[in-house]
Amino acid sequence: MELGDLFDLSLVGRADATALEYDGPTGSPHSVTFGELSARADRMAAALTARGMSRGDRLAIHLGNGIEFIDIFLACVRLGVIVVPVNTLYRERELDHIVKDAAPRLIATSAEHRPLFGDAPAVEVNVLSAEADAHPGALRERRGLDGDDPAVIIYTSGTTGRSKGAVLTHNNLATN
């Protein structure tokens, strides 16, 4: 069973139930069903594929809490793309180390933080979301992932030196 199959127990199995409630772009309350969340992830997966992302590639996510983070994370799980979450409090020195060490093919970040990445392959999340919205009805393909495939690389705090990437597999996340 793929990690995506576990997510699908809710995303597909409870498609009409409310998955998230949050403040929308104008500050007004907004909600998303599990089915809508699944469709958003499918569209994001299509957008990432159009950008050349594929199984085994690394995508750094430098975003605060928000639905866009969830869209990208679920899309990566479906594609077999390895997620590298990056703390938004990190600045140039920490970001430079993680980008060099993880070697992401793409970095998703906010317009505000895009300048922190210099020449690195960063894209503003609003651009990525607009690209995803241009893929209505995108269908998810099975990637034949193995439970031992890497899913996430989480960087340690680096209290005794430079931070190190800890690789978590699909099985690690499924067990958790």
Side-chain angles (χ1 to χ4, degrees), residues 19-133:
L20 297 170
E21 293 178 341
Y22 62 97
D23 289 335
T26 61
S28 59
H30 191 74
S31 66
V32 175
T33 67
F34 284 101
E36 290 167 337
L37 197 57
S38 182
R40 290 174 65 98
D42 284 342
R43 290 191 304 270
M44 183 60 71
L48 293 175
T49 300
R51 282 187 166 264
M53 298 295 295
S54 62
R55 181 179 176 174
D57 286 339
R58 297 170 183 174
L59 187 148
I61 305 175
H62 183 259
L63 296 171
N65 294 336
I67 193 164
E68 296 84 4
F69 190 105
I70 296 168
D71 293 341
I72 296 168
F73 179 82
L74 290 173
C76 288
V77 166
R78 290 178 175 184
L79 294 173
V81 170
I82 302 165
V83 173
V84 182
V86 181
N87 188 328
T88 57
L89 298 177
Y90 287 170
R91 291 297 174 246
E92 287 85 354
R93 183 175 55 89
E94 296 95 350
L95 295 175
D96 185 56
H97 167 67
I98 291 171
V99 168
K100 285 180 181 171
D101 189 63
R105 182 177 180 119
L106 189 64
I107 302 163
T109 191
S110 64
E112 172 190 0
H113 291 136
R114 173 60 188 94
L116 295 172
F117 292 97
D119 294 333
V123 61
E124 295 174 15
V125 71
N126 58 335
V127 171
L128 200 53
S129 293
E131 291 172 6
D133 289 343

